[in-house]
Amino acid sequence: MIKIAPSFLSADFRNIQKEVKKIESAKADMIHLDVMDGHFVPNITFGPMIVKDIKRCTKLPLDVHLMVENPNFYLKAFKDAGADYLTISIESEIHLHKTLSQVKDLKLKVGCALNPATPFDLVKPVMKHLDLLLLMTVNPGFGGQKFIPDVLNKIKCAKDFIIKNKLKAEIEVDGGINPQTAKLVVKAGATILVAGDAIFKSKDYKKVIKRMRDLGKIQL
Ligand code: DX5
Ligand code: ZN
């Protein structure tokens, strides 16, 4: 089963509530929220305050993707704001095991993100603790970038590892995902597709979401 997580970074922030309702009626499975601090990535977005406002507009799960230094400082704040999933960037955290455990202790779904150049091997020691493995298919920081096909092999490695070790982690991909690149990542083993521009810059959110989700129903 394929889940679609529209990346709110590409939404029209003049109309937060309207955009949330639009992706809800287009049958999105969750809302992906990109938190950037201007240090870990060269861009600044929003923090818990906006996450809290989005939570007030929806019952959809909030998939909070932290692209910040010292993520452990902010775990509780995002929990209180209404995050359901909290994803830590592996490159931002020296004490990864500890921080992932803290996310679990907060009773949130725990995710770990890898930049395109970060090898899958680095996350293997904590894979059994993860609900979500986020494999970035662009270098994080901005929406609307081009998909990096080099990551496909990493998706396949991760899928094989998850099957072989009977783990629960779902593979999420993020960056440059549209109905064309979605085919490649679904074939490689991804089950949660984050998409920003492909959804929010389209005329028909529902059609794009359905096209991507239906890839799970056909033999690719
Ligand atoms: C990039 C973010 C993504 C981004 C995806 O750093 O993590 O979630 O918004 O946007 P698109 O789908 O437009 O590449
Ligand atoms: Zn993201």
Side-chain angles (χ1 to χ4, degrees):
M1 211 183 86
I2 302 297
K3 293 181 199 161
I4 308 297
S7 172
F8 215 74
L9 190 60
S10 300
D12 180 349
F13 275 72
R14 291 169 303 175
N15 292 301
I16 290 182
Q17 197 166 6
K18 211 166 132 196
E19 290 281 57
V20 169
K21 291 297 157 212
K22 267 176 89 174
I23 50 176
E24 271 183 353
S25 60
K27 302 211 166 14
D29 296 281
M30 50 178 92
I31 304 179
H32 184 83
L33 299 173
D34 289 301
V35 177
M36 306 185 189
D37 68 349
H39 292 276
F40 179 70
V41 285
N43 194 8
I44 301 174
T45 56
F46 49 80
M49 194 183 88
I50 298 289
V51 174
K52 195 172 172 187
D53 280 346
I54 293 173
K55 188 75 179 181
R56 290 169 62 201
C57 309
T58 187
K59 293 257 183 305
L60 285 178
L62 300 186
D63 172 27
V64 176
H65 176 193
L66 295 183
M67 286 160 278
V68 303
E69 284 183 3
N70 300 311
N72 58 315
F73 290 179
Y74 310 105
L75 307 179
K76 173 91 169 49
F78 284 103
K79 152 95 182 179
D80 293 346
D84 296 279
Y85 288 79
L86 202 51
T87 294
I88 308 297
S89 301
I90 194 167
E91 303 84 359
S92 70
E93 185 52 88
I94 298 168
H95 304 291
L96 184 68
H97 186 279
K98 184 169 151 191
T99 300
L100 296 175
S101 306
Q102 287 169 343
V103 174
K104 275 200 135 163
D105 291 346
L106 289 168
K107 307 261 180 293
L108 298 176
K109 299 261 192 203
V110 61
C112 185
L114 270 61
N115 282 343
T118 303
F120 175 64
D121 274 5
L122 280 192
V123 76
K124 275 185 183 171
V126 296
M127 275 298 289
K128 64 171 177 292
H129 303 298
L130 300 183
D131 296 298
L132 191 145
L133 174 69
L134 171 50
L135 298 176
M136 292 302 300
T137 39
V138 297
N139 288 296
F142 302 92
Q145 300 185 76
K146 207 166 165 287
F147 175 78
I148 300 173
D150 299 350
V151 184
L152 289 169
N153 207 29
K154 186 159 48 172
I155 300 171
K156 287 183 196 137
C157 288
K159 185 75 181 179
D160 288 347
F161 186 86
I162 288 168
I163 292 173
K164 195 164 160 226
N165 294 283
K166 299 190 177 65
L167 303 177
K168 63 174 182 301
E170 289 190 79
I171 300 176
E172 180 178 59
V173 286
D174 182 7
I177 302 296
N178 55 44
Q180 284 73 43
T181 56
K183 270 187 207 155
L184 308 174
V185 294
V186 168
K187 193 170 179 197
T191 54
I192 305 181
L193 311 183
V194 175
D197 276 14
I199 294 171
F200 287 101
K201 306 275 187 264
S202 78
K203 286 203 186 73
D204 190 340
Y205 295 7
K206 196 170 190 168
K207 199 164 145 193
V208 179
I209 290 177
K210 184 173 165 19
R211 268 182 80 187
M212 293 197 284
R213 187 189 289 108
D214 283 354
L215 291 169
K217 297 181 189 160
I218 54 175
Q219 187 71 41
L220 292 168

